Amino acid sequence: MRPHLFTLQSVALLGALIAATSGISDTTLDAEHQSAFHSQLQCRCLPSQACWPSVSTWTTFNQTVGGRLIATTPAARECREPYYNKAKCDEIQENYTSVVWRQNQPGAIINHNWETLNGQGCLGANQTTPCHQGSVPLFTVNATNVADVQASIRFAAHNNIRLVVKNTGHCFLGRSIAPHSLNLWTHHMKDMQVADAFVPEGAPQGTQGRGAIVLGAGVQWKEAYKFISQYGREVVGGGEGSVGTSGGFCLGGGGGPLSPRYGLCVDNVLQYKIITANGELRVANAYKNKDLFWALRGGGPGFGVVVEAIYKTHPALKNVNFAEIIIVAPEQAQMDKVVQDFYARQPAMSDEGWAGLAIVDRTSMMLRYFLPEAPNTQAKASLKPFLDYARSIPGVAVVGERVDDHAVYYTAWQDYVSIIPDKSAGANTVLGTRLIPRRLLESAKGVESFTSALRQLQDDVRDFVPKGGYLMFLSAGGQVAKGNSKDTSVLPAWRTTLLEFMLMAGWSDDTPVPQQLHIQQTVTAATEHLRKITRESGTYVNEADPNEPDWQRSFFGSNYPRLRVLKHKYDPKGLFVCRKCVGSEDWDNDLMCPRRP
Ligand SMILES: Cc1cc2nc3c(=O)[nH]c(=O)nc-3n(C[C@H](O)[C@H](O)[C@H](O)COP(=O)(O)OP(=O)(O)OC[C@H]3O[C@@H](n4cnc5c(N)ncnc54)[C@H](O)[C@@H]3O)c2cc1C
Ligand SMILES: *[C@@H]1O[C@H](CO)[C@@H](O)[C@H](O)[C@H]1NC(C)=O
Ligand SMILES: *[C@@H]1O[C@H](CO)[C@@H](O)[C@H](O)[C@H]1NC(C)=O
Ligand SMILES: *[C@@H]1O[C@H](CO)[C@@H](O)[C@H](O)[C@H]1NC(C)=O
Ligand SMILES: *[C@@H]1O[C@H](CO)[C@@H](O)[C@H](O)[C@H]1NC(C)=O
């Protein structure tokens, strides 16, 4: 088995002060309501069954969506017999692992392990095994407007077909793909506008407008950043530019390097336009559909399909320092000292305004950290005690050290993502993650227990993550901790979090299924070392282990009961069911039939 290479992928999220969700009662479902809801759920229709729409019904639907219905096949199909096509296969071989290429294929997602079904699929560009449909949807609507979205939702609901929503296909929990399904593909809904004085619909007369960015469902962060930089404004988005602005990212929280300064994405939403399960276009904001607005800011996908998101913008940042530091050690013993010292400094660095990402393994560490709105001399002086300490350990060397001053955030961000290769997709990836509370890092004892848990975790995954590599994001604290929008459904633990830990594990395509399962189970078990010392915390729903235990509590905490009620209110038949999404415990493991009570 080829060990999975540790690829740098994301830059994530954040968190801060207890979300005393004032005004929100902890509504729960009583047994009677629960069973009434459950009785509305029915198994999805399969192509082999009489309920499946006829060819002429599909043809009529295709006309309704302007001929934008695509019979969807696995992305590598034309490299396999009997579908082999030289020109197409050359393109596939060239681009199979490209993020940009994969996101333009209706049937592909970023992490291709989710494209299989019961161990069968069509993975890899250079295989000779038969090509199976796997979990690749049967049909895709290449949506370009609201009417396409409404028609697709109504068609799936009316014919009781499994519906899946795919934007960029980045989901680590395989939520943007489903077998026997109709795929509502939002990637090409690219409208973007800037507003100087946006006033939410339904706001009282005289409400002061504010700077905002209006984003169609398919806009990606790299597009939004470039666009907004021309207006001398900033918007809080992902560290990774290929992530979507308006889909899963913000529904689940949404964070990146500017979050410590401006909060999570959910703290910055001004308004959503969303199509709910009955096909209705609704506006959700602080004045209209307030309960839905709450659910859409942290509750994850499953409440409808967002067609437009409007986020706050902020004045352009000046003097943005970007530091890239690389430290190497001969053995883990020395590296552990460096790492321990570094984590002990995180509360103070957060207070100074730093944010960023550390990529750590047994013998090396790379920092990619930002300090906005500070003189370059201050940024350098701030890092000096840590670098001096690292150098003082025999054998340890600082082999890379630059702290660059950027006049604007946009170029600092481009520098930050410059090491992320486009060809990092089309692999088998699962995560083990945890939000690390600030309080753990405020005492020497806490830091010691943290680093010792990390060491044990590295040992547990040694067979398939030999170098023990992981990512650690400083993307919470600061404004995330202040919780500038207490009325969100995001996991309350974000407000007391400082760091996000992320282990990425994977396997090669030829790994036998039992071994794949073993790797997944080992990741879940190894993360327990961190769960054990952070019981009050949880994990970021968008960057989570698909096998996360007790996921309702871990992803949503005390907000779960109310989210479940709202799920039933807006999606009573579970049209938008997805893996470990709110209300999915009402369904079987494959989410095709309701679970027998
Ligand atoms: C390489 C990489 C880097 C990342 N970097 C970051 C980061 O910096 N910060 C961060 O916070 N997260 C990051 N993430 C995690 C990211 O937030 C999640 O993967 C998120 O779900 C992506 O949303 P999407 O819409 O782009 O992707 P998709 O996989 O297309 O969608 C994700 C989920 O949202 C649903 N969905 C999509 N569009 C809509 C819509 N319009 N309406 C309703 N539901 C919709 C889908 O059905 C699916 O359930 C990263 C992930 C990857 C793979
Ligand atoms: C939908 O219609 C378009 C235009 O007529 C056609 O090219 C396409 O193949 C049709 N899709 C399906 C699934 O039949
Ligand atoms: C895919 O590969 C072809 C070569 O066959 C190349 O010309 C093209 O630019 C690639 N497309 C993408 C999106 O990378
Ligand atoms: C497939 O093989 C070609 C030619 O040997 C190589 O260039 C390409 O990287 C391979 N693609 C994958 C996805 O392994
Ligand atoms: C989807 O629609 C967009 C916009 O019309 C078009 O550019 C793209 O080629 C289409 N993709 C597919 C796979 O049909």
Side-chain angles (χ1 to χ4, degrees), residues 4 10 27 37 70 97 138 177 187 207 209 269 284 370 389-390 451 475 507:
H4 179 71
S10 77
T27 328
F37 284 128
I70 302 167
T97 58
L138 297 173
I177 192 163
H187 179 59
T207 300
V269 187
F370 294 94
Y389 173 78
T451 48
S475 45
W507 53 86

Side-chain angles (χ1 to χ4, degrees), residues 252 432-435 491 493-494 500-501 527 531 537-545 548-549 551 553-556:
T433 60
R434 194 71 182 169
L435 296 176
L491 177 73
W494 268 119
E500 183 196 9
F501 165 83
T527 314
R531 288 189 206 101
S537 189
T539 197
Y540 176 31
V541 58
N542 281 349
E543 297 185 323
D545 180 348
E548 179 72 21
W551 59 268
R553 174 199 288 263
S554 187
F555 295 170
F556 305 106

Side-chain angles (χ1 to χ4, degrees), residues 516-527:
Q516 296 176 17
L517 292 175
H518 169 73
I519 292 172
Q520 294 185 44
Q521 285 158 3
T522 308
V523 167
T524 308
T527 314

Side-chain angles (χ1 to χ4, degrees), residues 397-413:
V398 178
V399 296
E401 179 183 353
R402 65 180 172 97
V403 185
D404 296 337
D405 200 357
H406 290 261
V408 294
Y409 174 71
Y410 186 55
T411 61
W413 173 77

Side-chain angles (χ1 to χ4, degrees), residues 376-447:
N376 189 246
T377 46
Q378 184 188 325
K380 286 178 171 157
S382 166
L383 291 170
K384 190 171 182 297
F386 167 62
L387 295 176
D388 286 348
Y389 173 78
R391 286 192 181 97
S392 75
I393 301 169
V396 171
V398 178
V399 296
E401 179 183 353
R402 65 180 172 97
V403 185
D404 296 337
D405 200 357
H406 290 261
V408 294
Y409 174 71
Y410 186 55
T411 61
W413 173 77
Q414 286 176 316
D415 199 351
Y416 172 76
V417 291
S418 62
I419 59 165
I420 304 176
D422 174 58
K423 299 219 164 176
S424 59
N428 304 294
T429 309
V430 289
L431 304 182
T433 60
R434 194 71 182 169
L435 296 176
I436 308 302
R438 178 175 173 131
R439 63 106 198 129
L440 192 67
L441 306 169
E442 284 178 329
S443 72
K445 196 162 156 268
V447 173

